[in-house]
Amino acid sequence: MGGLGWAWAGAFALVVAVPLLLHAHDRSRAAQHGDRIAAGDEWSAFSVGLLTGGPRRAVDTVIVGLLERGVLRARGGVISRAGRGGTLSGMERAVVDSVGRGVRLSSLRLAAVLVEKRPFLVVYRTFQERGLVVGGGWRRHWAILQWAVLLCGTSVAVLYLVDRRALDGTFAAVGVAGLFAVPVVLLAARRGRLGSDPRTALGHAVSRRLRERVVHTRADAVAGGGLAGIGDRLVRMSIQDVEPDGVWGPSAKGSARDLTELNWLADELIHNTA
């Protein structure tokens, strides 16, 4: 292999090695800090539900908690008021006020989050600060482009310094395009960069630890495992009926009234989170 061949091989080795090192760093950080973060005593059912299953699951934890306390009741997939239940948090009040005379789960999820967005924003921002989730929209991809431009630019600069002829001709143009495309593909494979799930490798590690915690209430069970975590099938079906469970991802229903996690995330959480 000639000098130019070795130069190009070194350039591609650089744009491959750095993304792989970033993947390794993500895995190492998840292994080192996942247990410690999950063991913190600040985890409420709402925050566990938001991290492990998205906004829909977070609302479900509030609804199930109110059902346990007798504030709400559920029958045949319709949720209605049952009693006062004492002092309510802002999110609980939003849920109760959205019930009206009776409402299905999908409509209650939507109404509650539109009435009270602040808890989602505050908790999601905390997740971002801890590195458990990434920002959305252009923020999710900006870091990929930055790294790709940096690595491609560095490789091209090295090639130019080694021998200017390395950048002459059609092959050079294709090679430069490859120097940009390879890190984009490798970096896009990092957790949280593509798809509707914004959790990083650390976020997934913490989610696994949280799902393994001791469950004390039905709200805790829903937080870690969704409505499917409710052991009593009759109770579960009285709440859920045919509604999709809470997961990070679009709803399978496709109903215009059913605001999916993807829309909540894009419109209410990520784009409004600094």
Side-chain angles (χ1 to χ4, degrees):
M1 182 182 291
L4 293 182
W6 283 111
W8 276 102
F12 274 98
L14 174 65
V15 298
V16 170
V18 172
L20 293 181
L21 287 174
L22 290 175
H23 281 283
H25 171 74
D26 289 344
R27 292 193 295 270
S28 174
R29 187 163 179 260
Q32 291 178 9
H33 303 294
D35 288 336
R36 177 180 58 80
I37 294 175
D41 58 3
E42 75 278 11
W43 289 99
S44 65
F46 179 88
S47 58
V48 172
L50 183 58
L51 181 64
T52 61
R56 184 183 301 156
R57 185 177 296 181
V59 176
D60 289 347
T61 67
V62 178
I63 294 171
V64 172
L66 292 170
L67 288 166
E68 285 187 289
R69 288 160 48 189
V71 181
L72 300 177
R73 61 171 171 262
R75 181 177 299 173
V78 176
I79 300 169
S80 56
R81 296 187 191 184
R84 292 185 179 276
T87 304
L88 300 176
S89 68
M91 194 67 232
E92 290 173 335
R93 174 58 59 190
V95 169
V96 172
D97 290 345
S98 300
V99 167
R101 296 183 178 180
V103 64
R104 297 192 66 84
L105 181 62
S106 59
S107 297
L108 182 55
R109 289 163 166 168
L110 170 56
V113 75
L114 293 179
V115 168
E116 185 60 73
K117 302 176 183 129
R118 181 171 173 77
F120 294 93
L121 299 174
V122 171
V123 175
Y124 196 87
R125 185 177 293 114
T126 301
F127 290 166
Q128 280 189 277
E129 292 171 353
R130 289 186 160 198
L132 305 180
V133 297
V134 299
W138 61 268
R139 296 184 186 92
R140 294 187 75 182
H141 311 300
W142 182 238
I144 295 177
L145 295 177
Q146 284 181 310
W147 273 106
V149 170
L150 175 62
L151 292 174
C152 180
T154 301
S155 299
V156 169
V158 171
L159 287 171
Y160 181 82
L161 292 175
V162 170
D163 193 329
R164 296 183 184 181
R165 293 175 300 170
L167 299 176
D168 294 336
T170 303
F171 173 79
V174 174
V176 170
L179 291 175
F180 180 79
V182 168
V184 166
V185 172
L186 293 177
L187 291 168
R190 295 176 72 189
R191 291 279 197 172
R193 301 300 169 180
L194 294 177
S196 56
D197 189 340
R199 288 175 294 175
T200 61
L202 179 59
H204 278 275
V206 173
S207 294
R208 288 193 296 271
R209 306 298 191 278
L210 291 174
R211 285 193 292 267
E212 296 168 356
R213 297 204 313 177
V214 176
V215 173
H216 299 287
T217 66
R218 280 179 178 160
D220 292 334
V222 171
L227 293 172
I230 299 177
D232 191 320
R233 181 178 179 277
L234 294 178
V235 172
R236 182 173 69 250
M237 296 309 297
S238 70
I239 303 168
Q240 185 177 11
D241 195 19
V242 296
E243 309 300 332
D245 211 339
V247 295
W248 278 115
S251 165
K253 285 187 65 178
S255 169
R257 288 285 297 167
D258 182 30
L259 192 64
T260 68
E261 280 87 1
L262 187 60
N263 287 333
W264 284 9
L265 187 63
D267 297 336
E268 303 300 339
L269 296 183
I270 289 183
H271 288 306
N272 289 311
T273 305

